[in-house]
Amino acid sequence: MGMRGLETCRLAFDTEIPDEAILVRPGMALHAIGSALIYERLSTAALMLGALDLALLVTATHLRRRKQFGVPLYEHQALRLRLADLIARTALARRGVHATVAEFSAAGVVNMCEVAGVKVTVARLAEHVASECAHLFGGHGYVEDETRFPQLLRDIRVGRVGGGTDEMMWELAAKGMRTDDALYDRWVRS
Ligand SMILES: Cc1cc2nc3c(=O)[nH]c(=O)nc-3n(C[C@H](O)[C@H](O)[C@H](O)COP(=O)(O)OP(=O)(O)OC[C@H]3O[C@@H](n4cnc5c(N)ncnc54)[C@H](O)[C@@H]3O)c2cc1C
């Protein structure tokens, strides 16, 4: 569908792995892969943000340049408010990703459940924002020869699958949910 540069193919293993080639203790593979996936999930989120920065900048420029009904699209309040909302939500997501990466870089560890939550939220936001930006280009956003939005929409879709699907990310985030019985007892009248 997109991301055609990815070398994705079927693999078949027809050999035994010798002891000296084993990377982690038997039984610990999932744990080892889990740590590597932190990098993958944060880089997927960063990749999505990069694509959104581009899409939002091009779209803001388009609203200034294209005229309809005698004025630039920007002058139509409905359009500039929608774009402002997309920009604000993307800025919030960017701060979330940057803060998580900074914490990981400084401490060398980070909460996997939070990373999963960041990744799924950013990936879903990216799909929404890219689609809305394409919409603000009208038909031009849909036609392959006129803008790169069709390719962007195909490429960005991988964010919700690569490094773990939305549902797997939510499962992880759910595992990290905190509870507080004392707070509950104060707040909930029985
Ligand atoms: C081009 C490409 C590149 C990729 N690159 C990478 C990569 O580099 N690293 C990486 O980690 N992943 C990568 N992925 C993702 C990975 O290969 C899998 O596609 C992904 O983990 C989902 O597994 P699946 O395709 O077997 O889907 P399935 O497991 O068959 O899932 C199908 C659907 O059911 C949902 N589902 C499945 N089980 C449950 C459940 N128990 N509860 C709720 N919902 C469930 C899934 O979320 C999904 O929506 C890539 C995928 C593609 C297409």
Side-chain angles (χ1 to χ4, degrees):
M1 183 171 166
M3 289 283 184
R4 301 245 161 89
L6 283 176
E7 291 265 17
T8 303
C9 65
R10 187 177 293 272
L11 292 178
F13 297 97
D14 59 358
T15 184
E16 281 190 20
I17 309 294
D19 283 350
E20 64 274 16
I22 290 177
L23 296 176
V24 292
R25 271 188 287 123
M28 296 300 288
L30 192 58
H31 182 75
I33 290 171
S35 317
L37 282 171
I38 288 176
Y39 289 99
E40 175 148 18
R41 288 169 187 158
L42 288 175
S43 57
T44 299
L47 184 72
M48 298 291 114
L49 286 176
L52 289 192
D53 278 345
L54 183 150
L56 290 166
L57 200 53
V58 171
T59 307
T61 308
H62 184 67
L63 290 202
R64 295 281 192 191
R65 285 168 66 150
R66 179 161 172 85
K67 286 188 175 171
Q68 285 295 53
F69 298 92
V71 291
L73 292 177
Y74 181 86
E75 296 301 329
H76 297 288
Q77 189 182 40
L79 301 184
R80 66 172 184 266
L81 297 193
R82 278 166 76 175
L83 187 60
D85 178 45
L86 301 175
I87 291 169
R89 288 159 72 180
T90 303
L92 186 63
R94 186 182 308 111
R95 284 177 183 270
V97 172
H98 285 193
T100 313
V101 170
E103 185 187 330
F104 191 29
S105 303
V109 286
V110 70
N111 185 321
M112 267 180 87
C113 304
E114 280 183 18
V115 169
V118 167
K119 189 271 203 188
V120 61
T121 305
V122 173
R124 290 171 67 84
L125 177 72
E127 192 179 29
H128 172 69
V129 171
S131 174
E132 288 297 298
C133 286
H135 184 73
L136 290 171
F137 271 78
H140 306 278
Y142 190 79
V143 177
E144 198 91 45
D145 294 344
E146 296 183 16
T147 67
R148 297 189 185 180
F149 277 106
Q151 186 194 341
L152 180 73
L153 289 171
R154 290 195 303 271
D155 286 346
I156 223 163
R157 186 64 182 78
V158 83
R160 291 185 53 196
V161 175
T165 59
D166 292 358
E167 288 76 11
M168 295 302 120
M169 297 303 94
W170 283 326
E171 279 289 5
L172 264 172
K175 282 200 179 91
M177 275 182 200
R178 294 189 305 129
T179 58
D180 187 330
D181 287 330
L183 177 70
Y184 184 94
D185 290 339
R186 281 203 308 278
W187 270 72
V188 180
R189 299 169 210 276
S190 51

